[in-house]
């Protein structure tokens, strides 16, 4: 789990480091046109994130981008004059609280898309809040609240900087809560939201630095953009059920292969009959089990879910002879795996479920079926790219023919294309599913 979380944090931390290096460089030497572009970048990236969030139905990242746009607009419109003005300091103090609170609410909220009332309420509430603050600042009303601010907002964390003790404590609380959410959900969106919260205190701490708000908001919007693009990539290239690269990812790989490789096509034996007898939930369990075993393939093989109950393993730079032992090891591991179908009375807890399988005792409650392990087998056909099979489509077709030859030969076996001397025609592939 720790390694997975660290991988999710690599890209956001890299963007944050890049923004830090740029921030402390001398930007005053830039031309006025480039400085104007820097100021406009958060608006452009925020608008792009709103569009991407809408297209990909990602409400949390869309609302985070919207929240950042609201705060950035207030800073650019209202806080370009000294904070010694009472109205400015009150607005600055309120933003140091509202920004992390809104981001925390977005982080804690479940991802339910945009087609629900609760989602739009979370969008309208910050909008109304920021509009009210802008109106009060315009009317010079905020300054009257200066004497009512708590001491935690008046006492600075470090002398000479502008982050108050109250805001620092609030940011610390949001770090902890968002870190817990990230450790539980482990999504790219949560990683981006967590790192964005790590970045935000720098805005208020070094608020007097030139171009700090454009650069930091640009950095955070880039984090959100990276999370949205990664999410779209996962939808297109990763199979959700098995967490394996999908068919589109295989096609991308096949378009960039070298002169030597071996392609293996494999199919779960009698899967349709198994699905009809035990149900689709049990069928999904079989697919996940097979996928988890295939992920252990050696020899540098890369596994893909081709579709349905079919999987593909690609060996770069390997011949049939070199790939065959690794495929045989996979086939035997799956055939020997004691698959216990999850019964309705089985605990949903992973550790308890594992203990039940070891003891073969059902959980408390009325028995809903037998917990006897079932055997799942696969048939494999493989083909090496040779002088007569220059195109990847030909290699895949020959691997597929070898697969169905393995099924004709009795299933639960591996057949190489080179072993096929004569391949009799069959009337329908459905007979061997």
């Amino acid at each position: 789990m720790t390694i997975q979380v660290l991988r999710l944090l690599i890209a956001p931390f890299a963007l944050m480091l890049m923004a830090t290096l740029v921030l402390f460089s001398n930007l005053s030497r830039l031309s006025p046109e480039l400085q104007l572009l820097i100021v406009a970048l958060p608006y452009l990236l925020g608008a792009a994130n709103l569009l991407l969030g809408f297209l990909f139905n990602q409400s949390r990242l869309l609302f985070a981008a919207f929240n950042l746009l609201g705060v950035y607009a207030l800073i650019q419109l209202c806080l370009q004059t000294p904070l010694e003005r009472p109205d400015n300091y009150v607005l600055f103090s309120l933003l140091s609280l509202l920004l992390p609170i809104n981001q925390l609410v977005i982080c804690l909220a479940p991802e339910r898309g945009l087609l629900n009332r609760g989602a739009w309420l979370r969008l309208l509430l910050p909008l109304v809040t920021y509009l009210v603050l802008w109106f009060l600042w315009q009317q010079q009303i905020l300054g009257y609240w200066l004497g009512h601010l708590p001491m935690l907002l008046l006492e600075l964390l470090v002398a000479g900087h502008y982050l108050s003790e109250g805001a620092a404590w609030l940011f610390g609380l949001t770090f902890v809560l968002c870190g817990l959410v990230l450790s539980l959900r482990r999504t790219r969106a949560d990683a981006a939201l967590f790192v964005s919260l790590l970045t935000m205190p720098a805005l208020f701490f070094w608020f007097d630095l030139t171009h700090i708000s454009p650069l930091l908001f640009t950095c955070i919007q880039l984090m959100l953009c990276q999370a949205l693009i990664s999410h779209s990539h996962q939808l297109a290239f990763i199979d959700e059920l098995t967490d394996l690269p999908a068919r589109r990812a295989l096609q991308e790989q096949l378009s960039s292969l070298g002169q030597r490789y071996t392609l293996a096509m494999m199919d779960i034996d009698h899967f349709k009959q198994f699905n009809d007898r035990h149900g689709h939930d049990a069928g999904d369990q079989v697919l996940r089990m097979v996928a988890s075993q295939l992920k252990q393939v050696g020899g540098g093989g890369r596994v893909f879910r081709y579709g349905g109950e079919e999987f593909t393993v690609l060996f770069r730079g390997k011949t049939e002879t070199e790939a065959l032992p690794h495929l045989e090891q996979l086939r035997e591991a799956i055939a020997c795996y004691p698959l216990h179908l999850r019964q309705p009375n089985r605990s949903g807890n992973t550790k308890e479920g594992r203990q039940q399988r070891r003891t073969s005792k059902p959980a408390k409650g009325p028995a809903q079926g037998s917990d006897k392990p079932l055997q799942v087998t696969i048939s494999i056909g493989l083909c090496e790219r040779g002088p007569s099979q220059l195109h990847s489509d030909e290699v895949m077709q020959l691997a597929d023919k070898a697969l169905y030859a393995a099924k004709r030969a009795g299933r639960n076996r591996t057949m190489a294309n080179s072993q096929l001397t004569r391949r009799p025609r069959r009337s329908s592939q459905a007979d061997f599913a």
Side-chain angles (χ1 to χ4, degrees):
M1 183 182 71
T2 303
I3 296 177
Q4 184 178 356
V5 171
L6 290 176
R7 287 177 178 174
L8 292 173
L9 293 173
I10 289 175
F13 270 121
L15 290 171
M16 185 173 68
L17 177 61
M18 178 183 67
T20 303
L21 294 176
V22 174
L23 176 64
F24 290 99
S25 61
N26 191 356
L27 296 177
S28 60
R29 298 178 180 177
L30 296 177
S31 64
E33 291 78 10
L34 287 178
Q35 295 190 36
L36 183 62
L37 177 61
I38 291 175
V39 173
L41 269 178
Y43 292 119
L44 299 175
L45 289 171
N49 285 334
L50 292 180
L51 178 60
L52 290 174
F54 177 78
L55 293 176
F56 299 144
N57 198 29
Q58 291 292 294
S59 63
R60 294 199 302 153
L61 292 175
L62 184 149
F63 296 154
F66 186 83
N67 182 44
L68 294 169
L69 280 174
V71 175
Y72 182 69
L74 282 176
I75 291 175
Q76 293 300 311
L77 293 173
C78 307
L79 298 182
Q80 299 305 304
T81 52
L83 293 181
E84 283 74 13
R85 292 181 53 184
D87 290 285
N88 286 5
Y89 188 81
V90 172
L91 178 60
F92 175 83
S93 300
L94 293 177
L95 290 180
S96 70
L97 301 180
L98 288 174
L99 181 58
I101 288 175
N102 286 335
Q103 288 293 98
L104 176 62
V105 171
I106 294 168
C107 183
L108 296 178
E111 180 56 71
R112 294 177 178 172
L114 297 168
L115 301 179
N116 63 85
R117 293 181 180 177
W120 290 106
L121 180 62
R122 292 198 301 271
L123 179 65
L124 291 175
L125 189 59
L127 174 62
V128 173
T129 303
Y130 295 142
L131 287 176
V132 169
L133 287 177
W134 175 79
F135 175 78
L136 294 176
W137 181 87
Q138 286 280 71
Q139 301 300 315
Q140 298 183 358
I141 297 175
L142 290 178
Y144 296 108
W145 297 355
L146 182 61
H148 300 284
L149 291 179
M151 287 303 299
L152 284 176
L153 291 180
L154 297 175
E155 293 288 341
L156 299 180
L157 184 66
V158 177
H161 297 279
Y162 294 94
L163 181 66
S164 66
E165 291 184 359
W169 279 104
L170 181 59
F171 274 112
L173 176 62
T174 58
F175 296 160
V176 174
L177 294 178
C178 287
L180 290 175
V181 172
L182 174 61
S183 65
L184 293 174
R185 291 179 179 166
R186 300 192 294 277
T187 67
R188 290 176 174 83
D190 290 298
L193 292 173
F194 176 73
V195 178
S196 69
L197 276 170
L198 288 178
T199 309
M200 288 173 187
L203 169 67
F204 301 96
F205 191 82
W206 287 295
F207 194 73
D208 56 334
L209 290 182
T210 305
H211 294 307
I212 184 171
S213 57
L215 287 175
L216 287 185
F217 278 100
T218 296
C219 173
I220 298 174
Q221 292 285 9
L222 282 173
M223 293 181 197
L224 301 184
C225 186
Q226 183 269 335
L228 284 164
I229 294 174
S230 297
H231 173 75
S232 66
H233 176 273
Q234 185 170 8
L235 290 178
F237 290 91
I238 303 297
D239 177 63
E240 183 178 6
L241 178 65
T242 61
D243 201 30
L244 288 174
R247 187 170 182 172
R248 182 174 294 183
L250 172 63
Q251 293 172 344
E252 291 288 330
Q253 289 288 313
L254 292 176
S255 64
S256 60
L257 289 174
Q259 296 295 317
R260 174 180 292 183
Y261 62 87
T262 294
L263 186 70
M265 299 291 293
M266 51 191 66
D267 185 275
I268 301 175
D269 296 326
H270 302 294
F271 183 76
K272 291 181 180 178
Q273 293 89 327
F274 182 92
N275 226 14
D276 293 339
R277 179 178 179 183
H278 299 284
H280 292 288
D281 290 340
D284 290 345
Q285 187 179 343
V286 171
L287 291 171
R288 285 191 291 265
M289 182 276 290
V290 171
S292 66
Q293 295 298 311
L294 293 179
K295 290 177 183 178
Q296 310 303 319
V297 63
R302 187 176 182 189
V303 185
F304 303 84
R305 186 181 179 190
Y306 189 74
E309 68 271 24
E310 287 188 293
F311 298 85
T312 304
V313 182
L314 180 62
F315 295 91
R316 285 178 174 267
K318 293 286 191 300
T319 64
E320 284 184 357
T321 304
E322 293 170 329
L324 190 58
H326 302 291
L327 295 171
E328 274 292 287
Q329 186 177 7
L330 284 179
R331 184 189 61 78
E332 293 175 2
I334 293 172
C336 296
Y337 188 91
L339 177 65
H340 294 259
L341 294 181
R342 184 176 295 278
Q343 301 298 331
N345 62 340
R346 177 169 291 172
S347 171
N349 183 273
T350 304
K351 293 183 178 179
E352 292 179 5
R354 187 181 299 114
Q355 182 64 28
Q356 283 181 232
R357 291 194 295 271
R358 290 176 179 173
T359 59
S360 298
K361 294 181 181 180
K364 293 181 180 180
Q368 299 295 327
S370 172
D371 202 35
K372 181 179 179 181
L374 300 176
Q375 184 186 34
V376 177
T377 62
I378 62 172
S379 298
I380 305 174
L382 66 154
C383 178
E384 173 187 349
R385 180 191 183 278
S388 58
Q389 303 96 32
L390 296 178
H391 199 275
S392 59
D393 288 343
E394 299 176 76
V395 178
M396 184 174 293
Q397 290 173 6
L398 291 176
D400 193 58
K401 289 182 179 180
L403 164 64
Y404 286 103
K407 285 182 172 291
R408 284 196 303 270
R411 297 182 174 87
N412 190 25
R413 64 190 64 216
T414 303
M415 188 77 70
N417 176 65
S418 59
Q419 297 175 271
L420 304 181
T421 54
R422 298 180 64 183
R423 296 184 291 275
R425 294 177 59 87
R426 51 183 170 80
S427 58
S428 173
Q429 291 185 357
D431 299 335
F432 305 103

